[in-house]
């Protein structure tokens, strides 16, 4: 017979969001006597991906960073922009270093338990939540769930949804001629003309870099499409012919207006991708995972709702931007060029981190003004779902 274990908080999934949340719990003395359980099924082998984000000054992850940059570049056929990351550094770490770092911290805390089990079901039962695992049932006062959101998988077609899909190569070159001072935020010079697609470059050493070909579009491509663009880019713009591919990473990240916050309940909070923690218009989530985890802790202390949602203004602006990218998918390079060219990098990064002032927002909206935005804005007024 299955035995029962009781906890204050249960975190289902020890991936990015689950570990960010557990890290915040273990870091806060207020929770030192709370029993916390983190469960992961470890079904698929954890890939060693590169997680990037930007933040001001020092951060919690500085000791495990792979690299950071103070300057970035944007290239397109409309023009180029030098981006100043001296205030908000652009930081990159390896996901396996992050997982190892957090798990080590958690293992030192007596009140936090990490276990392996496959969770089949989570249901509310009077005062408690029952987490039904293959091995056991677990009881918690509140559960944070980062398993894939099945409702979203069924319904995403009813909302404006794009996929950020990409293939990246980590290459090692014979000659040491990569410029490692600046990373490439977006390079639209080589791309499929009908889509928002660009190359992203993180130079780690003079002879080592990650080069990724990324689409913001409706559907994934065959592997050889990304490969063709990567080869062309390396030859034409990095001017490298002799290189070895030492690792690769690929992914599909949803960018959607789906209202994830509706899938949480009073005692079960969806977190991570399942909870809408991925910024719809960019696909970034690392920074949100940290910020939203801290907000959850704050709300627990204040007795407020633990469903963290985007502020309404950002939800609306993301919806419009996503709507424009979706309906005019070939115009992404022009949109991002206008945004980056007419605004200081700090303002854009504040805006994308959802920490901008109303003046910042107005300046960005004004810089983007075009008939396409007007059309999508009008649609948003009469369409219930965009
Ligand atoms: C290749 C790649 C690169 C990326 N790069 C960046 C980046 O540079 N910057 C950025 O901000 N974002 C990036 N992202 C996006 C973001 O990091 C991911 O979307 C993020 O991993 C989402 O976190 P999560 O906790 O929702 O999901 P996950 O990290 O996938 O965690 C979910 C966890 O739940 C576990 N689980 C699932 N089902 C069960 C079950 N039934 N029982 C028990 N456990 C279960 C899984 O094993 C997993 O560990 C990238 C994504 C990919 C794929």
């Amino acid at each position: 017979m299955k035995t029962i274990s009781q906890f204050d908080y249960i975190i289902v999934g020890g991936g990015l969001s689950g570990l960010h949340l557990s890290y915040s719990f273990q870091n806060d003395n207020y929770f030192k006597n709370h029993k916390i359980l983190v469960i992961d099924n470890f079904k698929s082998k954890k890939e060693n991906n590169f997680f990037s984000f930007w933040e001001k000054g020092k951060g919690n992850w500085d000791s495990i960073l792979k690299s950071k940059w103070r300057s970035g570049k944007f290239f397109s056929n409309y023009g180029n922009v030098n981006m100043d990351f001296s205030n908000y550094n652009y930081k990159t770490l390896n996901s396996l270093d992050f997982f190892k770092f957090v798990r080590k911290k958690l293992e030192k805390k007596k009140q936090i338990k990490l276990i392996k089990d496959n969770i089949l079901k989570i249901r509310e039962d009077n005062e408690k939540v029952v987490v039904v695992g293959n091995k056991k049932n677990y009881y918690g006062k509140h559960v944070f769930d980062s398993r894939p959101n099945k409702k979203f998988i069924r319904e995403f077609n009813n909302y404006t949804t794009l996929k950020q899909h990409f293939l990246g190569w980590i290459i090692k070159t014979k000659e040491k001629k990569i410029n490692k001072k600046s990373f490439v935020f977006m390079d639209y010079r080589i791309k499929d003309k009908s889509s928002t697609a660009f190359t992203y470059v993180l130079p780690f050493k003079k002879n080592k870099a990650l080069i990724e070909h990324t689409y913001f579009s409706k559907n994934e491509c065959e592997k050889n499409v990304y490969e063709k663009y990567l080869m062309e880019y390396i030859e034409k713009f990095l001017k490298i012919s002799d290189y070895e591919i030492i690792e690769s990473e690929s992914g599909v990240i949803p960018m959607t207006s789906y209202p994830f916050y509706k899938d949480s309940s009073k005692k079960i909070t969806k977190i991570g991708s399942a909870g809408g923690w991925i910024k719809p218009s960019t696909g970034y989530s690392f920074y949100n995972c940290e910020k939203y985890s801290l907000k959850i802790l704050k709300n627990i202390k204040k007795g407020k709702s633990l469903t963290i949602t985007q502020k309404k203004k950002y939800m609306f602006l993301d919806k419009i931007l996503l709507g424009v990218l979706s309906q005019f998918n070939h115009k992404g390079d022009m949109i991002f060029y206008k945004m980056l060219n007419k605004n200081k990098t700090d303002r854009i990064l504040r805006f994308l981190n959802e920490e901008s002032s109303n003046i910042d927002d107005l300046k960005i909206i004004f810089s983007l003004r075009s008939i396409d935005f007007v059309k999508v804005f009008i649609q948003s007024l009469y369409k219930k779902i965009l």
Side-chain angles (χ1 to χ4, degrees):
M1 207 181 90
K2 288 181 178 179
T3 50
I4 292 170
S5 300
Q6 311 232 9
F7 295 87
D8 291 297
Y9 301 108
I10 299 179
I11 300 171
V12 178
L16 188 68
S17 62
L19 288 185
H20 260 294
L21 184 58
S22 334
Y23 180 84
S24 303
F25 272 126
Q26 70 80 36
N27 219 12
D28 190 330
N29 253 338
Y30 180 92
F31 296 97
K32 69 175 191 287
N33 296 320
H34 288 72
K35 277 183 82 186
I36 295 164
L37 176 67
V38 185
I39 312 171
D40 201 290
N41 60 14
F42 294 102
K43 251 191 185 164
S44 51
K45 189 176 161 274
K46 294 256 182 288
E47 300 287 334
N48 197 12
N49 298 323
F50 289 93
F51 286 154
S52 302
F53 55 100
W54 51 85
E55 76 181 343
K56 248 184 178 170
K58 289 188 179 144
N60 279 330
W61 320 109
D62 285 0
S63 66
I64 53 165
L65 290 183
K66 169 124 180 110
S67 249
K68 67 177 178 182
W69 295 269
R70 294 161 61 83
S71 104
K73 301 221 180 268
F74 173 93
F75 300 97
S76 76
N77 293 325
Y78 296 93
N80 306 330
V81 182
N82 286 320
M83 299 176 70
D84 178 5
F85 279 84
S86 53
N87 284 329
Y88 287 88
N89 290 174
Y90 195 80
K91 301 180 176 182
T92 292
L93 49 78
N94 279 127
S95 56
L96 292 185
D97 291 339
F98 171 82
F99 294 145
K100 207 163 117 193
F101 178 83
V102 176
R103 293 180 73 85
K104 222 169 161 184
K105 294 258 179 209
L106 301 182
E107 278 156 13
K108 285 190 186 145
K109 301 279 172 170
K110 274 196 193 124
Q111 93 275 21
I112 301 183
K113 211 170 156 188
L114 291 153
I115 60 154
K116 181 177 173 180
D117 200 351
N118 185 46
I119 301 310
L120 307 169
K121 206 161 54 179
I122 301 174
R123 65 179 149 80
E124 288 192 37
D125 186 7
N126 295 326
E127 288 301 294
K128 297 247 158 61
V129 187
V130 189
V131 177
V132 181
N134 260 342
K135 296 184 191 160
K136 257 185 170 187
N137 286 352
Y138 310 89
Y139 275 53
K141 288 182 190 150
H142 196 100
V143 173
F144 299 96
D145 182 13
S146 68
R147 292 171 306 155
N149 186 325
K150 286 188 184 149
K151 197 159 169 251
F152 167 67
I153 294 164
R154 281 196 309 270
E155 293 184 9
F156 74 86
N157 270 330
N158 298 336
Y159 296 84
T160 305
T161 302
L162 290 178
K163 291 174 184 164
Q164 179 178 142
H165 50 101
F166 53 89
L167 171 70
W169 288 343
I170 294 106
I171 62 163
K172 200 169 163 199
T173 65
K174 220 169 196 154
E175 285 179 84
K176 294 187 172 179
K177 60 180 190 184
I178 298 173
N179 168 15
K180 67 185 186 76
K181 286 228 163 96
S182 295
F183 75 101
V184 177
F185 188 63
M186 289 173 161
D187 189 335
Y188 285 94
R189 288 174 296 176
I190 292 183
K191 76 181 204 58
D192 168 348
K193 285 196 170 49
S194 62
S195 301
T196 296
F198 57 90
T199 309
Y200 167 73
V201 184
L202 298 181
F204 301 122
K205 291 183 182 168
K206 283 184 173 169
N207 65 342
K208 196 174 168 191
L210 165 73
I211 298 127
E212 215 152 78
H213 193 71
T214 305
Y215 277 78
F216 292 175
S217 71
K218 295 262 185 223
N219 297 306
E220 295 98 305
C221 310
E222 294 292 332
K223 195 173 174 201
N224 64 357
V225 174
Y226 311 96
E227 287 175 341
K228 175 179 96 75
Y229 287 120
L230 285 171
M231 280 190 275
E232 201 181 329
Y233 189 88
I234 293 168
E235 202 178 322
K236 197 164 168 191
F237 294 112
L238 298 182
K239 307 216 178 305
I240 292 167
S241 51
D242 199 350
Y243 63 92
E244 182 192 347
I245 301 163
I246 52 174
E247 275 172 65
S248 69
E249 74 166 23
S250 60
V252 182
I253 302 171
M255 302 166 75
T256 178
S257 65
Y258 177 85
F260 288 95
Y261 64 93
K262 290 188 178 166
D263 297 335
S264 290
S265 63
K266 204 164 169 221
K267 294 202 188 74
I268 305 170
T269 304
K270 299 268 185 198
I271 61 168
S273 311
W277 291 13
I278 294 180
K279 171 99 177 140
S281 56
T282 63
Y284 281 89
S285 75
F286 190 92
Y287 182 75
N288 273 355
C289 285
E290 183 167 9
K291 189 161 105 174
Y292 287 13
S293 295
L294 291 172
K295 187 91 199 280
I296 284 178
L297 268 57
K298 211 168 157 187
N299 285 5
I300 292 177
K301 293 176 195 169
K302 288 187 173 167
K304 286 187 171 174
S305 161
L306 304 189
T307 304
I308 310 298
T309 52
Q310 273 186 297
K311 274 192 194 158
K312 284 219 168 88
K313 78 169 178 184
Y314 295 112
M315 212 184 264
F316 174 74
L317 292 171
D318 269 346
K319 224 184 229 188
I320 300 289
L321 184 52
L322 206 56
V324 174
L325 287 175
S326 171
Q327 293 180 38
F328 309 97
N329 199 234
H330 58 293
K331 292 193 179 175
D333 45 356
M334 189 192 26
I335 293 165
F336 287 106
Y337 172 66
K338 276 185 174 178
M339 190 197 274
L340 297 179
N341 188 40
K342 294 200 182 130
N343 295 284
K344 287 200 168 136
T345 308
D346 275 5
R347 180 183 302 135
I348 291 162
L349 300 179
R350 277 198 298 276
F351 176 72
L352 296 178
N353 276 355
E354 307 192 345
E355 290 157 359
S356 49
S357 66
N358 290 339
I359 293 181
D360 286 332
D361 301 340
L362 284 175
K363 286 190 170 160
I364 287 173
I365 292 167
F366 196 67
S367 69
L368 288 175
R369 69 191 184 284
S370 83
I371 191 69
D372 305 331
F373 278 85
V374 175
K375 280 183 196 158
V376 175
F377 173 71
I378 292 169
Q379 285 171 18
S380 77
L381 299 178
Y382 65 85
K383 261 191 174 174
K384 216 167 150 213
I385 292 174
L386 188 65

